[in-house]
Amino acid sequence: MSAVATGPVATGRNLGARIVDVFTSPKSGPVLVTGVLFLLMFAVGGVRYRGFLSGQVFLNLFIDNAYLIVLAIGMTFVILTGGIDLSVGAVVALSTIIAARLLQAGWSPGVVILLILAITSALGLLVGLMIHVFEVQPFIATLAAMFLARGLCYIIAKESITIDNPFFVSMANVRIPLGYRLSITPSVIIALLALAVAVWVLQYTRFGRTTYAIGGSEQSGMLMGLPTSRTKVLVYVISGFCSGLAGVLYAFYTLSGYALTAVGTELDAIAAVVIGGTLLTGGYGFVLGSALGVLVLGLIQTILSFEGSLSSWWTKIFIGALLLVFIILQKVLTSRRT
Amino acid sequence: MRNTLIQALSHRLFWPLALLVILLTVNVIAVPGFLAITINNEGHLFGSVIDILRNGAPTLIIAVGMTLVIATRGIDLSVGSVCAIAGAVACSIILGSPNPGDPGVVTVAVLTALALSLVVGLWNGFLVSVLGIQPIIATLILMTAGRGIAMLITEGQILTVDSAPFKFLGSGFLAGVPVATVVAAAILGLVALLTRRTALGLLIESVGINPEASRQAGVRARGLLFTVYAVCAVLAGIAGLILTSNQTAADANNTGLFIELDAILAVVIGGTALSGGRYSLTGTLVGALVIQTLVTTVYTVGIPPIATMVFKAAVVTAVCLLQSPTTSAALARRRTAGPASPRPVATPEPAVTR
Amino acid sequence: MTDTASTRAPAPQGNPDPVVEMTDISISFPGVKALDSVDFRMFPGEVHSLMGENGAGKSTLIKALTGVYSIDSGVVRLGGLQVTFSGPAQAQAAGISTVYQEVNLLGNLTVAENVMLGREPRRRGGIDWKAMRQRAAEILEGLHLDIDPASLLNSHSLAIQQLVAIARAIDIQAKILILDEPTSSLDVEEVAELFRVIRSLKESGVAILFVSHFLDQVYEISDRLTVLRNGQLVGEYMTDELLRIDLVQAMIGKELSALDDLGSRVHSAEGETATGSVPETFVAAKAITRKGAISPVDITIGAGEVVGLAGLLGSGRTEVARLIGGVDRPDGGQLKVDGRPLRLRTPRQAIKHRIAYSSENRRAEGIVDELTVRDNIVLALQADRGWFRPIPRKRQDELAASYIEALNIKTPSADALVRNLSGGNQQKVLLARWLAIAPRLLILDEPTRGIDVGAKAEIQKLVYSLAENGMSVLFISAELEEVLRLSNRIVVLRDRKKVADLVNDGIGVDQLLALIAEGAAEPELEAGVAS
């Protein structure tokens, strides 16, 4: 704390110092580490395995994880406010099962999708109100929502229902060519659109900035006249909506509805958000980082599948280890600042 | 008379006990002989109540540890994974030995599993107390990675063991009572004794209620946090062994799945607030019984068993809303806003300035 | 007090209307009347200081003005029109901006956002970041603040954050700017910078409410003063017409109560010990300091000696006590106990050396309110013994019973929750906790604040008899009579520095007031008293 008027430290600082600054900022540090990690993993994969360094391997990351990207978007909003949403996996399952059941009953796909989005948003609204009005901890409120959603799944259908609706089947099978024998699915486009909207909302709207403000200090945000109450409820609505949308994409992907599907997906979503550089205590993070986090998770799986002999448990262990590294990284970066 | 009624109503265990009684009553109405306990020809106790006591044992054991963790303002999400790890370790040791039925082998297996659980607990304690990471986040790491570790141990297989001494733990009987029940009761008694006969309970509550005042009074929170997370993990290990033994198989994916939620729920129903502080092991016992009875009730009443989760959701919501500061403020307003005080109660906390 | 309440300074030249006028404001909290029909007004282009000790009602008044608290009775007029605010946003919209002591901004967002958020420029339905940064840069430039608007707020020092908060307030086009202890974490140059900004705002006609514990700063910057005490108005004064000593007296007041009786008795008895031989030094602190809390200070405490720490709130009295009690870690200096150098990093270590610090903040740092009286009394002793060596229940009961009796703690039983006791009895429970470890040095930080007269007298008696029995006491109180009555020696702090250290051989309240108000600024005075 030197004199105020002596001018900024910024004048004439060199590039190296600036790079160090960017990497040690709690805002951009973790996400940059993730980016570097992603590139490293891709490079290592490319060196080790034949056919790894192909565009389609990269695009498959999106195809296989489109629903997870959408989930991570909603989770980012929630975690940015310092909350958490444990219900997303169960809500995905609920969405798939509603879709399967109603399509089985002959409903039109458009109506089904809209209904799912309405139901899951409403569930998010209930959770948000419980958290804001009744001051229930997010962890517990979303836990209740998780129980409710899973329970409803079982009530609707115990067994797995196959979806044979032509629209859903076509969404699962259509490939949109990108040239050079590369292609993506419509789900990828939906996920990327959702991502674009989320980026815009978080960066360019007062609602988005208030989301960050709540994570920084809810009280300060309130004293600054920002709409913290409304925002705090809305992030859970968004998370509910994203879970519903992710559920629809998941139904496109698996063409079935099943009560026991997507168990533990909430952990994947949380891990993606954290690895993507969003602070679990809220206030810092980017939704693009979360998407990058999803890609890192996807890449781990891809590498393991290329490795062949390694099995799925390594995924969990790697994810846990990455979580640990990033949580400690966050701790170090934020404690330096305060 | 009126006074005793009011006292009973305001007792912290009133609502959980009432819930338990209601659930039992529903069962008795649905199945008249519900409460009957019979002794079969092997001298073992049988009956729905015994089932509740046996099947509820793992949840209760974990909930006991969770109670201590929650009392320090913490939470442990990794207990389900610890269950899976403990089961996996024990089963793979037993399977790896030439003589799975040997009590010595089983003892080694059990002790190794518990030692590993202890390590997990110390790790959680380290993250929370030394690195200062929020408990929910710190234990999330092992919640995720723990199942991976368990699968690593079982190499992704479901390890089915055929070992009489090991099976005894989950489905045996001791003096007619299920072993799991005996173990749970012993643990409950032991932890109650350990915390209430030493000063552990006092110091845990003190740290949970007011960490800064406790620090100034010379209470060493770090050691306490290590202790509670270690105890919680070891108890989760024991519960995991019981679950595994009961299924005679270690299933890294499903052993102890969601049990952390049941355990937390049991603690909360039992009247220990998630915000830490005063805890009640008796309350936790009642909470665990409520949950297990709820599961049983859903069976006996003929609701599809899987709908239990909806009921759990309802219970969680009800308990949370009842404990909510908003609700108690609203109730307090009702109580105080008699005709004598027409002034609306707009009472911000008086500012405490230093 | 009612006769002084009518004291009111004249309106400024040209007789402008007050920009804000609060009349007959009362606010109650459960059990406390925080404001009791207080009048307050501010004129455009003036810096108005709000003065008062703990519990005077300063922050309540500010929160009433800014719409954080709703008022029970009274009228607020803004530019002559009566207003009722139901939240800070409304007050802000009406031109009242507040900069709080603990910077209430968002460290995780950029400087530009912190200045502009809430009225950010928009373009195509979204926030126009470029325009926002530009506008923020202009405002910051107006404050001669050369920082990058795109940088994160918390990458800057507290002083700069404070100025950013002011930049935000200015951009709201504030008619009234409230600065609540803006200087408490700033160094001298930073304060000068802040004052330059305040003066330029003043010239542009903004009414500024300035709250600070630093008398020098108050006298430097403000035109007008309002003094509150115990929720009541003492008076409104022009700064240049009010002597410092009169200001301090107005803030602290003179307690004329039933205590006088006891006071004289204790005082006469104390005279004997004070004239006795010089006590052996028990604790000697040399140049202990902590950044942002207290400048290097020397304090010695003899065995069986009662040392009083006198000074206004914010003078550093609590900060010194916390360093000696091991509650905060010093940045420098040395502590010697029994002549041996010692580093106290935690309260636990202090307790091991039989040094007990009883916090001024009874509820937040003292009692554990959900535990019983007995548990609270044995807590420190038990923590010292470790959890595996429990104090037998019988011994606990004896301890509790004996302290309940000795300190006359009014509780239904030792099993009652401390939460349900009155403030005075909670304080006694806290005292009992410390006495139970048999301390050699007991640091009492405002042990008598907010408790009734009876309990106060009892605690004073207790302190006296403890010292008689050889215990050292470091005694802090905002009430000077109390300090004078109990202390063998008095250390006076002002603006985080020690300004006097004198033997209590019949010092009067007026002398002490003078030291607190002027301190070393008038060396002849200090020399005169300290000799």
Side-chain angles (χ1 to χ4, degrees):
Chain A
M1 283 213 297
S2 59
V4 179
T6 48
V9 231
T11 46
R13 72 172 163 185
N14 58 24
L15 188 67
R18 195 172 295 185
I19 288 174
V20 168
D21 239 33
V22 166
F23 269 88
T24 56
S25 149
K27 182 178 168 186
S28 49
V31 71
L32 285 173
V33 172
T34 311
V36 171
L37 180 75
F38 182 78
L39 292 178
L40 269 178
M41 282 167 66
F42 221 84
V44 168
V47 172
R48 274 182 75 106
Y49 316 110
R50 270 170 61 94
F52 190 91
L53 268 186
S54 84
Q56 195 57 44
V57 167
F58 179 72
L59 290 179
N60 281 343
L61 289 179
F62 286 90
I63 293 172
D64 296 335
N65 295 294
Y67 77 99
L68 194 54
I69 289 177
V70 175
L71 268 191
I73 291 170
M75 189 67 82
T76 308
F77 276 86
V78 171
I79 292 183
L80 277 176
T81 66
I84 201 151
D85 190 345
L86 296 183
S87 69
V88 297
V91 175
V92 165
L94 180 63
S95 306
T96 64
I97 215 152
I98 292 176
R101 194 56 185 266
L102 291 182
L103 291 172
Q104 201 179 32
W107 289 48
S108 115
V111 176
V112 168
I113 291 172
L114 288 179
L115 188 69
I116 287 172
L117 295 179
I119 290 173
T120 55
S121 304
L123 191 64
L125 179 66
L126 284 181
V127 169
L129 290 175
M130 217 167 136
I131 290 166
H132 180 67
V133 179
F134 290 95
E135 295 171 46
V136 178
Q137 291 183 16
F139 163 67
I140 292 291
T142 56
L143 177 65
M146 166 183 154
F147 278 142
L148 180 68
R150 281 278 172 213
L152 288 176
C153 284
Y154 291 127
I155 288 177
I156 295 171
K158 287 178 226 171
E159 308 303 326
S160 173
I161 307 172
T162 307
I163 297 175
D164 52 11
N165 174 283
F167 174 73
F168 272 63
V169 172
S170 70
M171 289 302 271
N173 295 332
V174 163
R175 287 285 183 276
I176 300 164
L178 296 179
Y180 302 110
R181 286 181 294 163
L182 300 178
S183 65
I184 52 172
T185 56
S187 296
V188 175
I189 294 181
I190 294 173
L192 291 180
L193 272 179
L195 191 63
V197 171
V199 168
W200 186 80
V201 166
L202 277 178
Q203 186 69 12
Y204 289 101
T205 66
R206 188 181 294 179
F207 166 76
R209 303 320 289 171
T210 307
T211 304
Y212 282 90
I214 293 173
S217 160
E218 191 175 349
Q219 194 184 346
S220 293
M222 199 187 67
L223 286 172
M224 286 168 73
L226 299 175
T228 49
S229 313
R230 193 189 343 150
T231 306
K232 210 171 153 193
V233 176
L234 261 179
V235 292
Y236 289 94
V237 178
I238 289 180
S239 183
F241 177 88
C242 286
S243 307
L245 185 58
V248 172
L249 297 187
Y250 199 70
F252 289 163
Y253 186 66
T254 59
L255 283 183
S256 67
Y258 182 35
L260 259 181
T261 203
V263 169
T265 305
E266 57 275 2
L267 293 182
D268 290 341
I270 294 169
V273 172
V274 172
I275 292 170
T278 300
L279 243 63
L280 265 170
T281 44
Y284 295 102
F286 302 98
V287 72
L288 278 178
S290 302
L292 193 58
V294 172
L295 296 186
V296 168
L297 295 190
L299 202 54
I300 292 175
Q301 258 158 349
T302 310
I303 289 177
L304 290 177
S305 71
F306 268 85
E307 192 69 28
S309 61
L310 287 177
S311 315
S312 68
W313 53 83
W314 282 108
T315 318
K316 292 191 184 213
I317 295 176
F318 275 130
I319 293 175
L322 277 183
L323 260 181
L324 174 69
V325 168
F326 276 86
I327 285 168
I328 291 177
L329 182 71
Q330 292 179 355
K331 188 79 199 166
V332 172
L333 292 186
T334 46
S335 63
R336 236 173 44 90
R337 296 273 167 161
T338 51
Chain B
M1 177 63 212
R2 214 183 113 84
N3 270 340
T4 35
L5 188 71
I6 289 173
Q7 260 177 8
L9 271 173
S10 59
H11 193 273
R12 63 198 307 190
L13 283 183
F14 176 80
W15 288 109
L17 276 173
L19 195 56
L20 186 59
V21 169
I22 291 169
L23 284 172
L24 287 174
T25 314
V26 169
N27 281 302
V28 170
I29 292 168
V31 184
F34 185 80
L35 293 177
I37 297 173
T38 53
I39 300 174
N40 73 356
N41 46 15
E42 287 169 67
H44 299 162
L45 296 178
F46 269 98
S48 301
V49 176
I50 299 297
D51 283 347
I52 291 176
L53 291 177
R54 185 182 57 204
N55 297 337
T59 308
L60 174 61
I61 291 171
I62 292 177
V64 166
M66 192 70 80
T67 308
L68 300 184
V69 171
I70 287 179
T72 63
R73 296 188 170 187
I75 201 145
D76 188 348
L77 297 182
S78 68
V79 288
S81 299
V82 176
C83 282
I85 293 176
V89 169
C91 286
S92 63
I93 290 177
I94 292 171
L95 280 182
S97 97
N99 189 3
D102 178 21
V105 171
V106 174
T107 310
V108 168
V110 166
L111 289 182
T112 314
L114 295 187
L116 201 60
S117 307
L118 178 69
V119 171
V120 170
L122 292 175
W123 166 256
N124 284 334
F126 170 76
L127 290 182
V128 172
S129 71
V130 179
L131 296 189
I133 296 171
Q134 286 175 42
I136 185 172
I137 294 166
T139 55
L140 183 71
I141 296 171
L142 270 176
M143 185 187 185
T144 312
R147 290 208 179 269
I149 295 170
M151 279 193 264
L152 184 67
I153 296 166
T154 63
E155 291 173 335
Q157 309 291 310
I158 293 179
L159 302 181
T160 311
V161 289
D162 183 18
S163 159
F166 186 63
K167 199 162 185 291
F168 179 72
L169 192 59
S171 33
F173 285 82
L174 210 66
V177 183
V179 172
T181 311
V182 174
V183 171
I187 283 171
L188 182 67
L190 206 68
V191 171
L193 214 64
L194 182 73
T195 57
R196 294 306 187 190
R197 288 291 158 196
T198 71
L200 199 56
L202 169 68
L203 299 184
I204 285 173
E205 286 185 337
S206 170
V207 166
I209 297 166
N210 192 335
E212 179 56 22
S214 304
R215 185 182 82 91
Q216 293 195 9
V219 180
R220 210 169 10 189
R222 188 171 284 188
L224 287 175
L225 290 177
F226 264 108
T227 311
V228 294
Y229 283 96
V231 167
C232 189
V234 170
L235 294 187
I238 295 174
L241 291 176
I242 291 177
L243 286 170
T244 310
S245 150
N246 201 16
Q247 297 154 350
T248 65
D251 179 351
N253 269 320
N254 293 311
T255 303
L257 191 62
F258 295 137
I259 203 164
E260 64 277 354
L261 305 182
D262 280 353
I264 293 166
L265 196 53
V267 175
V268 173
I269 293 175
T272 302
L274 275 171
S275 49
R278 306 263 305 189
Y279 67 87
S280 161
L281 288 173
T282 324
T284 298
L285 169 66
V286 176
L289 289 178
V290 164
I291 290 175
Q292 194 57 43
T293 312
L294 182 74
V295 175
T296 314
T297 309
V298 169
Y299 274 101
T300 50
V301 176
I303 306 170
I306 27 212
T308 323
M309 295 199 110
V310 178
F311 286 91
K312 280 187 189 165
V315 174
V316 181
T317 312
V319 169
C320 284
L321 295 191
L322 279 176
Q323 284 187 353
S324 151
T326 313
T327 315
S328 43
L331 287 176
R333 211 169 310 157
R334 279 206 150 173
R335 228 169 279 148
T336 53
S341 61
R343 195 171 63 82
V345 194
T347 49
E349 279 283 301
V352 183
T353 41
R354 267 218 15 222
Chain C
M1 208 174 285
T2 36
D3 54 339
T4 53
S6 58
T7 309
R8 183 165 252 203
Q13 273 188 342
N15 222 6
D17 288 332
V19 57
V20 64
E21 185 155 30
M22 303 172 81
T23 319
D24 209 16
I25 305 291
S26 294
I27 293 183
S28 296
F29 301 122
V32 199
K33 192 138 199 184
L35 285 181
D36 189 359
S37 54
V38 168
D39 296 338
F40 179 71
R41 58 179 185 167
M42 289 173 71
F43 291 97
E46 272 194 0
V47 178
H48 192 138
S49 280
L50 189 57
M51 307 295 293
E53 282 286 89
N54 249 330
K58 283 176 302 182
S59 40
T60 314
L61 185 72
I62 290 174
K63 285 183 171 151
L65 180 58
T66 53
V68 177
Y69 292 168
S70 53
I71 50 181
D72 294 346
S73 68
V75 177
V76 181
R77 282 198 186 80
L78 214 59
L81 297 171
Q82 187 173 339
V83 288
T84 320
F85 299 133
S86 61
Q90 284 188 9
Q92 236 170 56
I96 301 178
S97 292
T98 316
V99 177
Y100 294 94
Q101 173 188 11
E102 63 295 3
V103 180
N104 264 297
L105 292 180
L106 297 158
N108 60 325
L109 298 185
T110 62
V111 169
E113 284 174 282
N114 274 291
V115 175
M116 302 296 296
L117 219 54
R119 51 191 185 289
E120 61 280 355
R122 302 184 152 264
R123 190 163 148 264
R124 283 194 230 127
I127 296 172
D128 185 348
W129 280 83
K130 207 174 150 198
M132 180 158 81
R133 279 196 280 267
Q134 219 157 31
R135 176 92 188 92
E138 285 163 21
I139 297 165
L140 293 171
E141 206 172 301
L143 297 180
H144 300 277
L145 200 54
D146 190 9
I147 55 174
D148 179 7
S151 55
L152 283 186
L153 182 73
N154 64 6
S155 64
H156 300 289
S157 71
L158 268 181
I160 289 180
Q161 296 189 21
Q162 194 73 255
L163 289 172
V164 170
I166 292 174
R168 174 181 178 81
I170 294 168
D171 190 56
I172 296 182
Q173 309 289 327
K175 288 190 290 244
I176 298 164
L177 177 61
I178 299 171
L179 301 173
D180 189 359
E181 292 196 38
T183 56
S184 55
S185 48
L186 308 191
D187 65 27
V188 181
E189 285 165 81
E190 290 166 342
V191 170
E193 183 61 24
L194 175 68
F195 280 8
R196 199 185 48 66
V197 171
I198 292 179
R199 287 199 185 94
S200 79
L201 287 173
K202 183 178 132 176
E203 265 156 43
S204 65
V206 178
I208 293 153
L209 176 56
F210 182 77
V211 180
S212 171
H213 292 308
F214 301 107
L215 290 188
D216 288 347
Q217 295 175 4
V218 168
Y219 272 88
E220 185 184 341
I221 195 74
S222 57
D223 305 295
R224 191 181 292 267
L225 293 165
T226 290
V227 181
L228 300 178
R229 191 171 70 234
N230 295 331
Q232 291 177 321
L233 177 70
V234 178
E236 186 201 272
Y237 313 91
M238 298 309 291
T239 310
D240 51 12
E241 291 169 8
L242 183 68
L243 290 175
R244 283 183 182 213
I245 185 159
D246 293 333
L247 171 62
V248 173
Q249 187 157 356
M251 288 164 66
I252 295 178
K254 283 194 175 181
E255 191 113 330
L256 301 169
S257 67
L259 286 181
D260 280 357
D261 211 24
L262 166 95
S264 53
R265 195 168 59 83
V266 173
H267 199 75
S268 65
E270 191 181 38
E272 296 160 24
T273 49
T275 50
S277 57
V278 180
E280 207 176 312
T281 300
F282 173 47
V283 171
K286 196 158 171 54
I288 52 166
T289 177
R290 183 175 161 89
K291 197 164 175 268
I294 182 80
S295 312
V297 78
D298 297 348
I299 282 188
T300 59
I301 304 161
E305 192 181 27
V306 179
V307 176
L309 270 182
L312 292 174
L313 182 69
S315 62
R317 56 188 197 206
T318 293
E319 287 75 3
V320 170
R322 288 171 72 93
L323 293 184
I324 298 176
V327 177
D328 293 333
R329 286 182 201 181
D331 295 333
Q334 198 187 39
L335 196 66
K336 279 187 175 169
V337 174
D338 285 331
R340 278 193 304 273
L342 198 67
R343 303 196 85 178
L344 298 180
R345 291 164 201 279
T346 61
R348 190 179 171 79
Q349 291 173 338
I351 290 169
K352 283 259 177 274
H353 290 91
R354 297 274 164 271
I355 295 174
Y357 169 75
S358 174
S359 171
E360 57 164 344
N361 202 340
R362 185 170 61 235
R363 287 186 51 172
E365 299 176 358
I367 56 163
V368 183
D369 62 354
E370 294 278 325
L371 289 182
T372 63
V373 170
R374 175 187 34 246
D375 289 344
N376 268 281
I377 289 177
V378 302
L379 184 61
L381 185 61
Q382 182 63 69
D384 192 35
R385 288 167 66 110
W387 65 265
F388 44 87
R389 283 176 54 213
I391 305 167
R393 180 55 184 255
K394 195 160 157 258
R395 176 88 190 107
Q396 291 188 25
D397 285 332
E398 286 167 10
L399 270 172
S402 69
Y403 282 110
I404 288 173
E405 201 199 315
L407 304 185
N408 193 19
I409 299 172
K410 289 185 189 66
T411 171
S413 77
D415 289 312
L417 294 187
V418 167
R419 188 180 50 169
N420 299 329
L421 267 51
S422 73
N425 284 305
Q426 290 182 349
Q427 185 65 51
K428 289 181 188 171
V429 169
L430 193 53
L431 273 175
R433 175 194 298 167
W434 296 121
L435 295 179
I437 64 163
R440 294 181 64 195
L441 169 61
L442 180 59
I443 304 170
L444 295 173
D445 195 352
E446 294 222 49
T448 60
R449 192 211 307 165
I451 66 178
D452 60 85
V453 177
K456 222 177 237 188
E458 282 173 336
I459 287 173
Q460 293 179 3
K461 269 190 229 166
L462 178 74
V463 170
Y464 180 73
S465 69
L466 289 173
E468 283 277 85
N469 292 319
M471 192 185 292
S472 308
V473 178
L474 184 61
F475 186 82
I476 301 176
S477 173
E479 288 177 29
L480 297 184
E481 288 87 348
E482 200 173 70
V483 176
L484 285 168
R485 198 178 293 144
L486 293 173
S487 312
N488 304 112
R489 204 150 51 76
I490 297 175
V491 172
V492 181
L493 297 170
R494 185 167 140 266
D495 292 0
R496 295 175 181 161
K497 291 189 190 77
K498 181 164 115 174
V499 293
D501 188 339
L502 33 129
V503 175
N504 183 8
D505 48 3
I507 312 169
V509 172
D510 292 342
Q511 271 174 295
L512 203 50
L513 278 175
L515 281 169
I516 291 171
E518 311 286 346
E522 289 177 48
E524 73 280 3
L525 180 67
E526 192 202 6
V529 181
S531 57

